[in-house]
Amino acid sequence: MAESERKTGSPEEATPPLRQSFMIPKKEINMAPDMGKWKRSQAYADYIGFILTLNEGVKGKKLTCEYKVSEPIVKLVELLNTLDRWIDETPPVNQPSRFGNKAFRTWYAKLDQEAENLVARVIPEHLVEAAPEVALYLKESVGNSTRIDYGTGHEAAFAAFLCCLCKIGVLRVDDQLAIVFKVFNRYLEVMRKLQKTYRMEPAGSQGVWGLDDFQFLPFIWGSSQLIEHPNLEPRHFVDEKVVNENHKDYMFLECILFITEMKTGPFAEHSNQLWNISAVPSWSKVNQGLIRMYKAECLEKFPVIQHFKFGSLLPIQPVTS
C-alpha cells in the first residue's frame, strides 16, 4: 500500500528520507474526452489498486473478527466521531422543501474550516506539510454543500483520502482490516446519519437502475467478506430474518438493512439491481461483477470523475511502470 514500505523497529527509522513537495489537488477532467487521461493516470492505477488490495484483505472475514488497531486508525475514528458530534450540534432547520436541509451548509462550513487541523492530528509531525493536500479529499468526501447531495463520487474521495494516508506511510499494510472494518465502516455510519438528518439528495443517482442511491464500495468489500461463507448465499440477503441476524458481521447486509429502513415497497421494485444480484450463484461471482460494475458505472463515468481532484499523491500523470 505504501510505496516506501519498510519494516522498522522505531518510528524514527520510518521517517521517509525523501522530501516530497505536496500540493492542493485540483480538477483535471474538464470534458468527456479527458477521461482517457484519468484511465491512464497514476491516480487511477493507485486508486483501483487500493480498492482491490482491500477487497482481497477482507475476503471471508467478519466485521467482528480480531485485527490490529494502530494509533493512526484510532485517530481516524476520533476524527469521524468529531464529524458525528457536529451533526448533533447542528440540527436541521425548518424550511419549506423536504429535501436538502440547509443546516448541512452550516455543518459543512465547520468541516471546511477545520479539515486541515483534523488531518494534522492524524499524521505525524514530520508529515504536517501533507495535511492541506490530504485534507482536500476529506472535505470532498461528505457531499456537496451547494446542492446538498451525496453520491459515489464523494465516497470515492474518502477512499482517495485513505489511499493518500497509505502513500505517505501513515497507514500500513497490516492496517488493511482496520481501514475497512473500523474506519470505512465508521465513515458509512456518519454518512448515513448525514443523509438522514439533512435529507440529502442522491448525487447523480440512476434511480432504480443504480445499485444504491449513495454507496458502492461497501457492496464490493461486503461481498468479498461473504466469499465461501458456509451458509449464506447471495439469495439470502433479500431475506429480512437473515439480514437482521447477520448485519453486524457483514457490511453488505448492513447496507441492505439501511436501504430497507429508508425505502418502502417491495425490494424488487425499489432496488432492482440488488434484487437481480441476489440471483447470482456465488459471492465470488457477485464480487467480480460488482468490481466490473464499479469501474463502468462510477470510475468510467464523466459526471462522477469530473469532480475528482489530482495532486502529488494521486497524480494525473500517466502510469510510469
Side-chain angles (χ1 to χ4, degrees):
M1 273 184 220
E3 287 159 332
S4 55
E5 201 51 54
R6 289 192 305 283
K7 289 280 169 260
T8 48
S10 70
E12 286 73 35
E13 291 169 61
T15 306
L18 73 175
R19 298 292 299 149
Q20 178 163 2
S21 55
F22 296 102
M23 61 181 276
I24 302 285
K26 58 185 202 295
K27 200 170 141 75
E28 298 277 2
I29 310 296
N30 299 306
M31 299 175 297
D34 293 339
M35 289 296 285
K37 272 201 299 194
W38 154 243
K39 281 186 253 182
R40 289 189 297 272
S41 71
Q42 188 63 51
Y44 182 88
D46 289 346
Y47 180 85
I48 199 73
F50 180 67
I51 300 302
L52 296 177
T53 300
L54 294 173
N55 186 59
E56 204 49 45
V58 300
K59 194 181 276 184
K61 297 193 170 66
K62 292 181 176 184
L63 286 168
T64 47
C65 75
E66 294 276 311
Y67 49 83
K68 173 181 167 265
V69 179
S70 64
E71 195 188 345
I73 294 286
V74 173
K75 288 177 173 174
L76 281 166
V77 172
E78 282 168 9
L79 183 158
L80 291 163
N81 291 344
T82 301
L83 302 189
D84 190 327
R85 195 180 69 244
W86 291 349
I87 302 174
D88 297 334
E89 292 166 5
T90 320
V93 294
N94 281 331
Q95 61 178 46
S97 68
R98 213 168 125 230
F99 287 95
N101 195 283
K102 291 182 178 64
F104 175 72
R105 292 180 183 149
T106 311
W107 179 91
Y108 183 84
K110 196 160 188 174
L111 173 64
D112 194 35
Q113 201 183 336
E114 292 295 322
E116 277 179 41
N117 295 333
L118 291 171
V119 170
R121 284 179 217 156
V122 175
I123 60 182
E125 217 154 287
H126 69 270
L127 287 169
V128 75
E129 287 169 22
E133 177 165 347
V134 177
L136 181 109
Y137 293 105
L138 178 65
K139 289 193 277 194
E140 298 266 313
S141 75
V142 296
N144 181 286
S145 66
T146 311
R147 296 188 304 271
I148 314 182
D149 66 6
Y150 175 94
T152 48
H154 302 111
E155 177 190 68
F158 192 75
F161 167 68
L162 296 172
C163 182
C164 287
L165 291 173
C166 289
K167 292 197 80 170
I168 59 174
V170 172
L171 296 173
R172 305 281 172 136
V173 172
D174 56 0
D175 287 317
Q176 277 181 40
L177 283 175
I179 289 171
V180 180
F181 292 172
K182 250 206 154 28
V183 180
F184 195 81
N185 209 36
R186 185 72 185 105
Y187 165 75
L188 286 177
E189 289 168 1
V190 178
M191 292 309 107
R192 286 172 184 147
K193 188 166 168 176
L194 277 180
Q195 289 150 21
K196 271 181 172 167
T197 307
Y198 304 121
R199 302 298 297 266
M200 297 176 80
E201 298 270 13
S205 167
Q206 297 159 314
V208 73
W209 303 113
L211 184 68
D212 176 74
D213 282 343
F214 298 110
Q215 313 298 153
F216 206 115
L217 293 174
F219 292 95
I220 295 179
W221 295 331
S223 59
S224 180
Q225 284 184 278
L226 285 155
I227 289 173
E228 296 188 359
H229 192 286
N231 329 94
L232 294 179
E233 292 170 32
R235 64 191 171 94
H236 291 124
F237 76 73
V238 289
D239 179 336
E240 203 179 320
K241 186 171 177 286
V242 171
V243 173
N244 289 334
E245 285 171 8
N246 298 283
H247 70 93
K248 286 187 166 62
D249 283 325
Y250 299 103
M251 226 171 213
F252 195 100
L253 302 181
E254 206 50 273
C255 290
I256 301 296
L257 185 70
F258 184 68
I259 291 170
T260 53
E261 278 174 11
M262 298 298 279
K263 297 195 167 184
T264 51
F267 191 87
E269 284 173 27
H270 63 62
S271 301
N272 191 258
Q273 285 280 33
L274 282 166
W275 178 259
N276 293 339
I277 286 170
S278 71
V280 175
S282 73
W283 284 111
S284 61
K285 285 265 189 299
V286 169
N287 186 246
Q288 288 158 9
L290 286 173
I291 290 166
R292 279 198 303 273
M293 188 178 172
Y294 185 60
K295 287 177 180 171
E297 298 301 323
C298 300
L299 301 184
E300 291 171 13
K301 285 280 190 280
F302 174 71
V304 176
I305 296 305
Q306 63 172 333
H307 303 293
F308 198 89
K309 306 282 201 312
F310 301 84
S312 74
L313 296 167
L314 290 170
I316 189 70
Q317 281 72 31
V319 174
T320 42
S321 54

